[in-house]
Amino acid sequence: GIAHDFNNILSAIIGYSELAMTHVTPDTRLERNLGQVLKASMRAKELVQQILTLTRQSEQQFEPLELGPIVKEALRFLRASLPTTIEIRQEISAGSHMVSSNATQIHQILMNLCTNAAHSMREKGGVIEVGLGDVDLAAEDVLRMPDLKPGPCVKLSVRDTGHGVDSSVIERIFDPYFTTKAPGEGTGLGLAVVQGIIKSQGGCVTVSSELGKGTVFHVFLPAITSPTKHEEQAVEPPGRGKERILFVDDEAILAELGKEALESLGYSVVAMTSSMEALAAFHDHPEKFDLVITDQTMPDMTGLVLAQKLLKIRPDIPIILCTGYSQQVTKEHTSETGIREFLMKPLILRDLARVVRRLLD
C-alpha cells in the first residue's frame, strides 16, 4: 500500500543521507544541511507510524516532552515554506513545564495552525505570532473548557493578522470536512485533526476571531512533573564485522543501499532483487552466508515464505525480516516461524548494525 511505498522512499533518503554523513567534514555547512535532511526524514517516518497507528485504532505512545525545542524546530521548517510577506514572531518561555505528548503530533498541531494562519494572509501578508508558556488554570477558568482540569498547563498560542473569521464559521471551525477554502485548497480535516490530537492528550483548544483583525488559537495541555534527568549515554559507533550477509529487496535502490551500508561496516554482502534467485543462490551454497536480511513485500515470493524455505535448508541461519507495512506480518508471527528479528522500514543504519551484530554474536 501507500505506507509501504512511502517507507521505501524514506529508506532511500535516510540511508543515503546517513552514508553521506560518514564522508563529510564535521562542523561544515554540508554536515548541517544533511543533518536537517535526516531530521525532516525522521519526522516523516514518525508521521507514517502515526497514520498507521490511527488506522489500526491503537493508542499513541506518549512521553515527557519539553515543547520549546519542538516548536522552534517546526517554525524553522515553516519559515522555508512561507512567502517573505508573512513575518513569524515567536515568544517561547524558557524552562516551560513538560507535557506527556508525542513530538510528531505537536509538530502536526503547530504546522496545521500556522498553515491556516498563513492562508488567511496570503494576499496582503501579515504576522504570525507563536507563543509558548506556563499557565495555572483555576476552576473558573475551565468552565468553558470541559476537557481540562484545573491546575498547571502549558499554553501554545498561534495568532495571525489575517482577515478574521465570521462568528457563524467559528461555531463549525472544528467540524470534519468543513472548510471556507476554495475547491482543491483544503480538505476541511486539518483543524478536526488538531482538535482530536489535543483531546487525546487531555487538552483543549479555543479560538477567537475578529473580522478584519485576525484570529488566535490557544492550545492548553496539562503539565506534568519533570522526570529525573539521567546522564546522556555516549552513542556507540555501529558494530562492525567481517561476516557474509545475503541482502534481499526487490527495490534495486534499497538492495544497493543495504549492500553499501553493510560493506561500509566491513561485512561481505551479496545483494539480490529477486526472492526466487536469492532462494536458488542459498540452496546452492547454504554455508556461504552467516545471516540473511530480506524485505517482506516482494513479487513471486514474500520475505516470510522465503525465510521459511531458507530455514528448511538450514535451520540455524539467522534471518532479519524487514517491512514498510504489512497487516499480515507481526513481530510475534515472525518469531513463531523461526525468524530472529523483525524490523520496520525505513531502516536506520545504526539500528540495523546493532541488530546484525547481536544476532551474529
Side-chain angles (χ1 to χ4, degrees):
I2 294 175
H4 173 268
D5 294 339
F6 193 57
N7 272 326
N8 275 345
I9 296 169
L10 281 175
S11 292
I13 296 172
I14 292 173
Y16 281 109
S17 296
E18 286 184 315
L19 285 177
M21 287 283 276
T22 64
H23 297 289
V24 300
T25 305
D27 300 322
T28 60
R29 177 177 292 182
L30 178 57
E31 185 194 45
R32 290 191 294 272
N33 290 347
L34 284 171
Q36 290 299 320
V37 172
L38 278 172
K39 188 177 290 185
S41 300
M42 295 307 292
R43 278 276 179 256
K45 173 178 180 282
E46 293 168 4
L47 186 57
V48 172
Q49 292 304 313
Q50 180 184 325
I51 293 169
L52 293 178
T53 300
L54 290 173
T55 59
R56 291 194 296 264
Q57 296 184 341
S58 302
E59 292 186 0
Q60 279 285 343
Q61 291 186 344
F62 296 147
E63 60 181 345
L65 291 179
E66 183 182 345
L67 297 191
I70 300 172
V71 170
K72 290 178 181 179
E73 178 189 317
L75 292 180
R76 283 196 296 271
F77 284 129
L78 188 72
R79 178 66 278 173
S81 65
L82 295 183
T84 54
T85 53
I86 296 177
E87 179 185 353
I88 298 178
R89 298 174 186 169
Q90 54 181 293
E91 187 173 341
I92 313 297
S93 298
S96 295
H97 286 313
M98 301 188 81
V99 298
S100 179
S101 186
N102 175 288
T104 299
Q105 288 187 336
I106 295 298
H107 203 274
Q108 189 175 1
I109 290 170
L110 191 58
M111 294 299 282
N112 266 300
L113 293 180
C114 289
T115 299
N116 278 351
H119 187 272
S120 72
M121 301 182 291
R122 59 181 180 171
E123 293 182 2
K124 298 182 180 180
V127 178
I128 298 175
E129 296 180 2
V130 177
L132 181 71
D134 298 329
V135 293
D136 201 351
L137 298 179
E140 57 268 23
D141 295 326
V142 299
L143 291 177
R144 292 183 296 174
M145 298 183 286
D147 296 312
L148 269 181
K149 296 179 180 179
C153 285
V154 174
K155 178 182 177 182
L156 173 66
S157 301
V158 176
R159 184 187 304 272
D160 67 63
T161 57
H163 49 62
V165 182
D166 187 80
S167 57
S168 62
V169 173
I170 287 286
E171 295 176 0
R172 301 183 58 194
I173 204 166
F174 294 111
D175 291 352
Y177 302 108
F178 175 76
T179 179
T180 58
K181 297 176 182 176
E185 292 185 347
T187 62
L189 283 173
L191 291 178
V193 168
V194 165
Q195 186 182 55
I197 291 173
I198 294 168
K199 283 188 173 183
S200 74
Q201 299 181 17
C204 181
V205 56
T206 65
V207 57
S208 59
S209 187
E210 188 173 348
L211 288 174
K213 293 190 176 181
T215 304
V216 58
F217 287 86
H218 295 301
V219 176
F220 299 89
L221 295 174
I224 62 171
T225 304
S226 300
T228 302
K229 293 186 178 179
H230 300 282
E231 292 185 7
E232 292 187 5
Q233 296 181 348
V235 177
E236 296 182 2
R240 302 179 64 85
K242 296 182 179 180
E243 288 88 349
R244 300 158 299 178
I245 297 174
L246 175 59
F247 193 99
V248 189
D249 196 306
D250 64 305
E251 294 279 348
I253 189 172
L254 298 185
E256 182 182 343
L257 171 62
K259 178 179 173 67
E260 185 176 347
L262 291 167
E263 286 183 340
S264 72
L265 298 175
Y267 297 104
S268 174
V269 183
V270 174
M272 308 192 80
T273 56
S274 165
S275 53
M276 300 293 288
E277 291 179 6
L279 177 59
F282 190 87
H283 180 273
D284 292 342
H285 302 284
E287 300 303 323
K288 183 180 177 180
F289 303 103
D290 300 302
L291 179 109
V292 177
I293 302 172
T294 178
D295 185 30
Q296 161 60 12
T297 306
M298 298 184 290
D300 300 324
M301 185 190 306
T302 66
L304 183 59
V305 174
L306 172 62
Q308 291 169 335
K309 291 183 180 294
L310 297 180
L311 288 167
K312 285 183 179 180
I313 298 171
R314 190 177 146 198
D316 66 331
I317 185 71
I319 299 176
I320 300 173
L321 183 69
C322 310
T323 181
Y325 174 61
S326 177
Q327 288 181 312
Q328 288 74 37
V329 180
T330 63
K331 188 172 185 177
E332 292 74 18
H333 185 200
T334 55
S335 63
E336 291 173 0
T337 63
I339 295 172
R340 302 285 184 88
E341 281 289 345
F342 175 73
L343 295 178
M344 288 295 296
K345 289 182 176 180
L347 301 177
I348 308 303
L349 177 56
R350 189 179 303 277
D351 296 338
L352 177 61
R354 185 178 64 252
V355 171
V356 166
R357 195 65 259 156
R358 186 175 73 244
L359 292 185
L360 290 173
D361 289 342

